[in-house]
Amino acid sequence: MLGSVKSRRLLIAATASLGLVTAGAGYSAQAAAPAARAAAPAPAAAAATHRVLFDNSKAEQAGNADWVIGSSQPDPLGQDSTPTKETDWTGGLSAWGVALQRTGDYSLKTLPAGNTITYGGSGALDLKNFDTFVLPEPNIRLSTAEKTAVMKFVQAGGGLFLISDHDVSDRNNDGYDSPMIINDLMTSNGVDNTNPFGFSVDKLNIASGNPKAISDSSNPVLNGSFGKVTGSLIANGTTFTLKPADNPAVKGLLWRSGSSTTGTTGAFFVTSTFGSGRVAIWGDSSPIDDGTGASGDTLYDGWNDSSATNAALALNATAWLSGTGSTGGGGGGGGGGTCTTSGQLLANPGFESGTSGWSATSGVITSSTAKASHSGSYKAWLGGAGTAGTETFSQSVTIPANCSASLSFWLHIDTAETGTTAYDTLKVQVLNSSGTVLGTPATYSNVNAVTGYTQRTLDLSAYAGQAVTLKFTSTEGSKLQTSFVVDDTALNVS
């Protein structure tokens, strides 16, 4: 199969007069209805339990830190099953934990030291079993797999509560402090490395201050069930720089004195969204410190400081991240929500209506007999020219929140290349509405050539709750041809 055959299929495609179109009206109705059902709030349960996991796997107890809700881990109830005051559990965050526990609406666990952060695994402490994950001043850099797990958890609807500290706050002397670790999470995570939350942690050490809340009576973090938030405090902390161009959902709720609340620098408490999930970040660990903890630690009671409303801020934010309140993101449920629809979502999945429902390079979707279809007459044929070039086909679709999603397709690869070097490639990618690549679930090449069609299935559950574009891109070298022929696609959700 050399360049002449490729030219013939382009001619056939042109004479077929199948004008290039985007998703048709039939598809829009099909996709929009499940999306609307998924987005609608579920009826309030009589006693909803919000599941919160506090991290202790990243040296949160190094040095004078004691950022745990209790000494009994993973289950704080092992220390006291009916706590009524913060000292009933032992930890610098015990007031936070006890306050949530006493509502009866929260189930709390701790990821103990020595454990790994995971998402989609079988363990009881896997993030898929929780609505919110709290990272209180991490002092060990997350591994690549852990960063991917955190991002996919948020993307699928989970809440992430990040707490930073000041620059040069490396409590375990491993070369990484919390500002470095959090910035690294947002720029090297394997899911979206383009600052997906829309903020960065400033490399500052601010000795003191009393950041004030913005005026927003409708904001659930500032006006939640745990009280009204008016301000916080800084006792050696930092701020954040907002980057709305990277994520327009980013919002500064508390600002350092002298900072413009309509600007981008000096934010002290920030919220954002990513995929179906929610994110919050605080610029200092002192506000969450309740002054109790392990014997010998030097702690400060910022939780009960009368100059601030830190307790209300921490608790309201936890509630918002766990799925209560409005504003932003799908909220809560990194896998624990209910999928309200099922079925196949792609329009014209077998290409039998030509380009209807698809955007494609001219001639890619074809009925040329030079390459057999898996079924019917049409398929998508990329490459096969034996000259350098790139071809694509794609379709936009909304994957309903809380659903499992799998993309399947039949793929035939034939090639004139020899050896084990990947000269020609086909990438299957997921893009957001701005065209940013969220992930590349699979890459195939001339090395994968086999006789006939092989069905491929890719898990896209991490993109539940998002409007995405599924894109196939072939890149062919300048010498020998490789043909990538795709047919009978399906995006099944359940």
Side-chain angles (χ1 to χ4, degrees):
M1 179 60 56
L2 298 176
S4 58
V5 175
K6 179 75 168 188
S7 299
R8 285 199 297 274
R9 79 173 172 93
L10 289 172
L11 178 61
I12 293 170
T15 58
S17 300
L18 294 169
L20 187 65
V21 298
T22 56
Y27 165 69
S28 299
Q30 176 188 20
R37 289 196 298 272
T49 300
H50 306 296
R51 305 157 301 170
V52 183
L53 180 66
F54 286 80
D55 187 70
N56 188 31
S57 71
K58 297 295 172 277
E60 280 91 350
Q61 291 184 283
N64 277 320
D66 198 19
W67 312 137
V68 296
I69 57 174
S71 59
S72 177
Q73 301 176 12
D75 190 352
L77 296 179
Q79 184 173 9
D80 190 323
S81 60
T82 57
T84 59
K85 55 185 183 300
E86 65 185 65
T87 52
D88 289 339
W89 289 354
T90 306
L93 307 185
S94 60
W96 189 351
V98 169
L100 293 174
Q101 181 66 34
R102 291 184 63 190
T103 68
D105 296 334
Y106 291 83
S107 172
L108 311 178
K109 293 292 187 293
T110 297
L111 185 66
N115 282 262
T116 299
I117 302 167
T118 62
Y119 176 70
S122 59
L125 299 178
D126 186 271
L127 289 178
K128 72 178 182 182
N129 299 315
F130 296 90
D131 301 301
T132 296
F133 182 44
V134 182
L135 265 173
E137 196 192 337
N139 265 266
I140 297 175
R141 184 188 185 194
L142 278 66
S143 69
T144 299
E146 288 180 314
K147 288 182 285 186
T148 298
V150 170
M151 297 300 293
K152 287 188 173 182
F153 165 72
V154 179
Q155 196 173 52
L160 176 63
F161 203 151
L162 299 166
I163 294 146
S164 184
D165 203 14
H166 58 86
D167 187 29
V168 193
S169 56
D170 179 9
R171 298 179 185 268
N172 60 340
N173 300 311
D174 67 347
Y176 288 91
D177 59 17
S178 54
M180 296 171 63
I181 291 166
I182 295 171
N183 282 336
D184 177 65
L185 169 65
M186 295 182 291
T187 56
S188 178
N189 55 63
V191 176
D192 185 337
N193 299 326
T194 59
N195 190 34
F197 301 154
F199 60 78
S200 61
V201 185
D202 300 328
K203 302 285 284 183
L204 299 174
N205 185 351
I206 304 167
S208 61
N210 287 97
K212 300 303 180 184
I214 63 172
S215 177
D216 186 348
S217 60
S218 65
N219 188 279
V221 176
L222 300 180
N223 302 276
S225 60
F226 292 96
K228 183 175 179 60
V229 175
T230 58
S232 185
L233 62 86
I234 303 177
N236 293 109
T238 190
T239 55
F240 310 102
T241 296
L242 307 189
K243 302 181 179 181
D246 294 334
N247 186 335
V250 69
K251 185 173 185 177
L253 300 189
L254 282 85
W255 293 78
R256 186 183 179 189
S257 178
S259 300
S260 170
T261 59
T262 60
T264 58
T265 58
F268 183 62
F269 193 100
V270 175
T271 60
S272 189
T273 64
F274 177 62
S276 298
R278 301 173 175 180
V279 180
I281 187 166
W282 211 332
D284 194 357
S285 54
S286 296
I288 58 170
D289 186 348
D290 63 20
T292 68
S295 176
D297 287 342
T298 302
L299 299 171
Y300 168 75
D301 190 359
W303 186 266
N304 297 303
D305 193 300
S306 60
S307 70
T309 49
N310 294 319
L313 181 54
L315 297 169
N316 286 344
T318 307
W320 178 73
L321 291 167
S322 299
T324 65
S326 58
T327 307
T338 301
C339 180
T340 60
T341 191
S342 63
Q344 197 287 117
L345 300 185
L346 292 179
N348 187 22
F351 307 106
E352 293 308 303
S353 296
T355 57
S356 178
W358 299 93
S359 294
T361 302
S362 179
V364 162
I365 296 176
T366 178
S367 60
S368 167
T369 57
K371 285 294 179 187
S373 303
H374 178 255
S375 67
S377 300
Y378 282 85
K379 63 274 176 181
W381 177 7
L382 304 102
T387 57
T390 298
E391 294 182 317
T392 69
F393 70 92
S394 63
Q395 184 171 138
S396 297
V397 62
T398 296
I399 303 176
N402 302 315
C403 291
S404 297
S406 64
L407 173 66
S408 64
F409 52 92
W410 290 85
L411 175 63
H412 170 54
I413 305 174
D414 73 38
T415 186
E417 301 283 4
T418 59
T420 58
T421 301
Y423 295 107
D424 310 314
T425 61
L426 173 68
K427 291 184 177 181
V428 184
Q429 295 180 309
V430 182
L431 288 67
N432 66 16
S433 58
S434 300
T436 300
V437 175
L438 301 178
T440 303
T443 300
Y444 308 99
S445 74
N446 51 278
V447 177
N448 305 121
V450 294
T451 301
Y453 279 88
T454 301
Q455 188 174 36
R456 309 284 184 168
T457 302
L458 307 176
D459 184 7
L460 301 188
S461 301
Y463 305 100
Q466 297 186 72
V468 297
T469 297
L470 308 181
K471 187 174 185 179
F472 291 71
T473 302
S474 73
T475 302
E476 196 172 18
S478 60
K479 294 184 178 179
L480 302 176
Q481 76 87 26
T482 299
S483 292
F484 301 97
V485 190
V486 179
D487 202 359
D488 294 329
T489 66
L491 177 62
N492 291 304
V493 299
S494 60

